[in-house]
Amino acid sequence: MPSLTWGGMDERIVMVDSVTGLTLTEEQLDERSATATVQLRRRGVRDGDGVLVCLPAGPDLLVAFVAVTAAGGVIWSLPADLDAGTLRELVRGSRARVMISNVGPAVDAADESRVRVVVGVDDLCAPRPYPV
């Protein structure tokens, strides 16, 4: 893996988004996926639960995969470029209650299924204050 050195610190790059050129470092992946894991658990994901993931290929997809696995969930990956009808069929057939997506047709399909929680990676990775 390539590394970048800033101020004496070695940052390992784990992914480069082929569309945007943005990089994801090992430290960023660890931080974002740890926060997302906690958020998935708070939203009810438990060991063995199926979690639909419908995101374009890129850093967000990697973060979602790591977080779902760390939360004990089972990843049901849906390609983001599927047509709306196919997405609807797959989402309904999955019987999943949680979906990670910001893809319009997938989010729409969730409305017609058992999915009760639809969340984007940005929402999962945003730091939340602890309850008082």
Side-chain angles (χ1 to χ4, degrees), residues 42 129-132:
R42 286 182 179 172
Y130 288 102
V132 179

Side-chain angles (χ1 to χ4, degrees), residues 16-103:
V16 178
D17 189 316
S18 62
V19 175
T20 66
L22 295 174
T23 61
L24 181 68
T25 67
E26 190 171 26
E27 183 179 357
Q28 290 168 326
L29 175 61
D30 289 347
E31 288 174 4
R32 292 182 70 200
S33 59
T35 301
T37 299
V38 170
Q39 294 302 321
L40 286 171
R41 294 297 251 167
R42 286 182 179 172
R43 287 172 168 84
V45 174
R46 298 294 178 254
D47 291 346
D49 287 350
V51 178
L52 292 165
V53 179
C54 185
L55 295 166
D60 286 346
L61 183 62
L62 180 58
V63 169
F65 275 28
V66 171
V68 170
T69 303
V74 177
I75 300 161
W76 287 61
S77 182
L78 300 172
D81 58 356
L82 285 177
D83 65 88
T86 303
L87 276 170
R88 219 174 5 264
E89 287 178 35
L90 292 172
V91 171
R92 279 188 202 147
S94 74
R95 302 181 56 88
R97 293 181 305 109
V98 177
M99 174 190 281
I100 302 170
S101 185
N102 57 5
V103 176

